[in-house]
Amino acid sequence: MLNITKIKADFPIFKNHPELIYLDNAATSQKPQIVIDRITKFYSNENANVHRGVYPLSEEASEAYDEARQKVASFIGARTNREIIFTKGTTESLNLVAQSYALNNLKKDDEVLVTDFEHHSNFLPWQNVCQKTGAILKILNSDEKGFISDEEWQKKLNKKTKIVAIAHASNVLGTISDIKKIAELVHGVDAVLVVDGAQAIPHLQVDVQNLDCDFYAFSGHKMLGPMGIGVLYVKEEILAKMVPYQLGGGMIESVSLDDVIFADYPEKFEAGTPNVAGAIALTSAMDYLLATGLEEIRKHEILLSEFLLAGLAKIEKVRIFGSASANERTGLVSFYVEGVHAHDLSDYLAKRGLALRAGFHCAMPLHQSRACGATLRASYYLYNSEKDLEFLLTSLEEAISYYG
Ligand SMILES: Cc1ncc(COP(=O)(O)O)c(C=O)c1O
């Protein structure tokens, strides 16, 4: 069992905002003191650019940055640190796959498959490369829970499919996709599998070798790390099929007036000064998660999901999105209340210190396919307690009777 009081004390935001009940973790998580301290330490004691200077400070910063890459590789079970590209977040990681891989490997009439529950970051880059290459974008429609049925796969996946892009966990439904099984299907037609891990990696133990995906994208800021740092894992054999789409310093072997030889990967895909402090502090966040225990965190979130799902089911007019089973979800529940706008509800809840997201959560196609307007989303993490959710439920009932 997690000791929530002790965990909460590690996060200074809660000392500075004692009334805050933070339930917007799917948007970004709060940061523990060790992550904040690690950033301060870098800029106070270690700051120098990496892979450029030959003086000790620069060499030490380069070493720390390389070590961070190695730690990230171990955290997600990559074969080698060459498979880890640092980016500024999931959005940049997915755009990197689209621009550096897809644009150079897709041709007219090839097919790209995405689901109807993707975040815009895993939808728009594919819409864009299909428009540019003449490839066809096809949508996999999910069922009520947020799963893609076997029939839907059979109907849409075929020899023309070259890329399948799917969220490991939906940011609206919370539903966890069976990536290992999907990888088998996708590789069965010789396509590649791109996984948007933004909502999964903060909650699940991710092993990219076991999942057998070709790309795995995620953001540091949703897993206790800083904003502005993210990761793209690329299976090593695929790296050779990618061409850099950002050019500049730090990614070349040599340059002449009419030619360039790029550096080896992963540096080849990291043009410009990287977010060194961010990468190093991200590994402090990973250390914190590992020390707390990924399994314990997952168990805690399942209990919270069970509690919230049961509580919401008892409130008249509340309609829950996604699976009724806590095991099939990460730590979030989206819902709407018949006859009351989600923004009115979130305003009311905000006055009670409850921070929740209302809107389309950057997944407009999903809301359109379910023919519903804005939803409210409560997303929780290791520092949230049942008490937080109990307060949400009673405040929600009050809000409904106020507006109803
Ligand atoms: C499923 C999913 N994909 C991608 C993103 C984009 O992440 P970022 O804004 O960190 O790039 C998010 C952010 O909410 C997300 O939930």
Side-chain angles (χ1 to χ4, degrees):
M1 276 258 285
L2 297 184
N3 181 341
I4 305 299
T5 312
K6 187 166 166 286
I7 289 174
K8 234 174 154 176
D10 292 334
F11 291 76
I13 195 105
F14 297 118
K15 265 176 236 148
N16 297 325
H17 298 271
E19 298 304 314
L20 174 68
I21 297 180
Y22 189 73
L23 294 171
D24 197 17
N25 291 281
T28 197
S29 67
Q30 297 300 340
K31 321 300 171 201
Q33 191 66 53
I34 60 157
V35 168
I36 299 165
D37 288 348
R38 192 62 193 88
I39 296 169
T40 308
K41 184 176 170 219
F42 178 80
Y43 286 118
S44 311
N45 299 316
E46 301 161 286
N47 180 55
N49 215 327
V50 291
H51 302 147
R52 286 157 172 82
V54 285
Y55 52 91
L57 205 57
S58 174
E59 281 170 350
E60 277 157 33
S62 303
E63 241 169 67
Y65 184 60
D66 294 344
E67 238 171 65
R69 199 188 300 283
Q70 185 55 57
K71 272 190 156 184
V72 171
S74 322
F75 189 79
I76 61 167
R79 285 162 206 85
T80 139
N81 57 2
R82 287 154 61 83
E83 297 178 316
I84 304 299
I85 299 169
F86 281 120
T87 64
K88 65 184 162 73
T90 310
T91 304
E92 193 179 51
S93 296
L94 293 166
N95 276 277
L96 174 57
V97 185
Q99 297 301 316
S100 290
Y101 177 80
L103 207 53
N104 290 289
N105 290 281
L106 282 179
K107 53 183 193 330
K108 194 169 175 308
D109 297 331
D110 282 346
E111 293 181 359
V112 175
L113 287 188
V114 300
T115 77
D116 61 358
F117 55 73
E118 297 311 315
H119 186 281
H120 297 160
S121 294
N122 197 29
F123 179 72
L124 295 174
W126 306 113
Q127 191 181 61
N128 179 266
V129 285
C130 286
Q131 284 162 355
K132 284 181 178 156
T133 57
I136 299 160
L137 185 65
K138 283 169 95 181
I139 307 299
L140 291 157
N141 294 309
S142 56
D143 63 18
E144 277 295 297
K145 287 177 160 188
F147 292 117
I148 308 296
S149 67
D150 292 346
E151 297 77 55
E152 185 68 0
W153 281 111
Q154 274 162 20
K155 209 156 72 179
K156 307 273 170 76
L157 184 76
N158 60 57
K159 280 280 168 197
K160 284 187 180 172
T161 312
K162 298 298 167 211
I163 297 172
V164 175
I166 186 167
H168 193 171
S170 156
N171 67 312
V172 181
L173 304 166
T175 313
I176 301 164
S177 292
D178 186 345
I179 297 300
K180 201 175 154 86
K181 182 179 150 202
I182 293 170
E184 253 183 70
L185 291 172
V186 172
H187 293 150
V189 297
D190 291 328
V192 297
L193 177 61
V194 183
V195 180
D196 172 353
Q199 294 295 341
I201 202 155
H203 309 284
L204 307 173
Q205 213 155 348
V206 169
D207 180 329
V208 287
Q209 284 192 65
N210 180 46
L211 296 176
D212 197 27
C213 53
D214 301 289
F215 299 91
Y216 197 95
F218 62 95
S219 302
H221 70 94
K222 294 183 198 286
M223 54 185 301
L224 311 183
M227 291 185 176
I229 187 73
V231 171
L232 176 65
Y233 156 82
V234 187
K235 211 185 253 178
E236 186 152 19
E237 66 234 43
I238 307 232
L239 282 159
K241 298 182 188 163
M242 289 170 64
V243 177
Y245 84 108
Q246 289 188 5
L247 309 175
M251 50 81 73
I252 56 97
E253 192 63 52
S254 72
V255 177
S256 68
L257 285 181
D258 50 17
D259 204 8
V260 55
I261 299 171
F262 295 128
D264 203 355
Y265 39 76
E267 283 83 8
K268 185 178 177 174
F269 299 107
E270 292 180 0
T273 297
N275 182 355
V276 180
I280 297 169
L282 170 61
T283 68
S284 300
M286 290 173 170
D287 287 344
Y288 187 90
L289 288 170
L290 289 171
T292 308
L294 297 176
E295 264 180 48
E296 287 304 311
I297 295 172
R298 177 76 187 129
K299 275 190 215 154
H300 175 68
E301 287 171 355
I302 289 175
L303 290 177
L304 292 184
S305 293
E306 280 169 352
F307 182 83
L308 183 58
L309 287 166
L312 286 172
K314 284 188 205 138
I315 305 178
E316 218 191 320
K317 295 187 192 165
V318 168
R319 299 289 167 264
I320 298 168
F321 257 36
S323 172
S325 159
N327 285 304
E328 293 177 336
R329 295 176 167 267
T330 56
L332 69 86
V333 179
S334 299
F335 57 94
Y336 64 94
V337 177
E338 279 172 8
V340 191
H341 199 283
H343 282 125
D344 288 336
L345 291 170
S346 74
D347 266 2
Y348 188 100
L349 298 173
K351 292 193 182 89
R352 279 162 175 61
L354 285 152
L356 279 89
R357 177 91 166 256
F360 297 109
H361 320 297
C362 302
M364 285 185 99
L366 176 71
H367 286 77
Q368 286 156 3
S369 75
R370 311 266 150 145
C372 91
T375 50
L376 266 172
R377 180 181 69 188
S379 52
Y380 26 93
Y381 210 2
L382 68 173
Y383 35 64
N384 290 113
S385 62
E386 229 172 72
K387 231 172 109 198
D388 294 344
L389 298 181
E390 205 171 348
F391 188 60
L392 166 64
L393 290 165
T394 49
S395 305
L396 184 65
E397 281 184 297
E398 276 170 35
I400 294 170
S401 55
Y402 177 82
Y403 287 109

